[in-house]
Amino acid sequence: MEATFGGGCFWCTEVIFQHTKGVEQVVPGYMGGHTENPTYEQVCLGNTDHVEVVRVVFDEAEVCFRDLLEIFFKTHDPTTLNRQGGDVGTQYRSVVFYHNDQQKQEAEELIALLEKEKVYESPIVTAIESASKFWEAENYHHDYFHQNPQNQFCQVVVAPKLQKFLTQFKSHARG
C-alpha cells in the first residue's frame, strides 16, 4: 500500500517513516505542482506549486494507514500554513495526498477528531488532496539524515523530531 505526506522539509518526514515498523520504503519527492520533472531548486523558489513530500510504501499487515496518519499529525505542526519551523513557503505546506477514497475518509475523520478534542490550540490547516504525479527527489535527498548526521539542520531540527517520534510512538518504532 502507498501513502504520500507533506509535512515540511522532506528530510524530517522521511526519517520518521524510515523508523516506523511496517514501512517498507520511504522516497522523498515532489507532488501537487504544475511543472514537469521539477528540481529541488525550482521547488524551493515556490513557483512550481509542488510540495516536498515522502512516498511511503507500507505493509498493511504491520501498520495501518490510520496509524501512519497519527504519526504524521503528531510529528509536525499541522496548524501552520505554508510553514514548518524556519522553513517557509508553499512547498512546506501540510498535506495528505490520498490514493483512494478510504485514505481520504480516514484523513478527514482524524482531522475532525483532532479538532473536536482540541489537540492543537490553533485550527488544523492540513490539506487533503488527491495524489497526483510523484516526482522523485534528487539522489542526495535520499536518506539525508543518515547520510549527513553532522549537518546542522539534521542535528538541530531532524534529530529532535526523530527522538520525539521514538518516545511517543514506541510501539510503532523499529527496534
Side-chain angles (χ1 to χ4, degrees):
M1 198 63 196
E2 185 175 327
T4 306
F5 302 105
C9 175
F10 46 33
W11 301 339
C12 295
T13 313
E14 176 188 49
V15 76
I16 298 298
F17 289 114
Q18 285 177 327
H19 286 84
T20 303
K21 286 181 195 172
V23 171
E24 298 170 342
Q25 182 184 40
V26 184
V27 181
Y30 316 106
M31 188 175 277
H34 54 76
T35 301
E36 293 288 311
N37 201 25
T39 65
Y40 180 68
E41 290 74 22
Q42 290 173 316
V43 172
C44 284
L45 289 173
N47 299 327
T48 69
D49 292 329
H50 284 91
V51 182
E52 287 190 18
V53 298
V54 292
R55 181 179 62 200
V56 178
V57 177
F58 62 101
D59 180 350
E60 288 183 291
E62 292 187 55
V63 64
C64 65
F65 181 70
R66 173 65 182 246
D67 290 338
L68 296 178
L69 278 172
E70 289 181 17
I71 291 166
F72 170 71
F73 277 101
K74 295 200 175 153
T75 56
H76 84 292
D77 184 352
T79 68
T80 55
L81 186 62
N82 301 330
R83 153 178 234 136
Q84 286 297 305
D87 292 328
V88 180
T90 57
Q91 69 271 29
Y92 300 116
R93 66 191 169 132
S94 177
V95 58
V96 175
F97 285 104
Y98 62 88
H99 293 267
N100 57 49
D101 290 340
Q102 181 180 345
Q103 286 185 352
K104 178 182 181 186
Q105 181 180 343
E106 288 184 38
E108 290 170 344
E109 288 172 357
L110 182 57
I111 289 174
L113 178 65
L114 294 171
E115 292 281 34
K116 180 181 176 188
E117 293 179 352
K118 299 193 183 303
V119 172
Y120 302 98
E121 291 182 23
S122 300
I124 293 173
V125 296
T126 302
I128 301 172
E129 300 178 16
S130 179
S132 57
K133 174 76 174 160
F134 175 81
W135 301 96
E136 189 170 327
E138 296 81 353
N139 285 337
Y140 69 92
H141 290 295
H142 293 245
D143 199 27
Y144 193 86
F145 177 74
H146 295 109
Q147 298 296 325
N148 300 278
Q150 299 307 314
N151 176 287
Q152 185 177 8
F153 184 84
C154 289
Q155 290 181 0
V156 175
V157 178
V158 184
K161 284 185 179 232
L162 176 58
Q163 190 57 49
K164 178 181 178 181
F165 163 75
L166 294 172
T167 302
Q168 288 186 345
F169 292 96
K170 288 179 186 174
S171 65
H172 289 293
R174 294 184 193 273

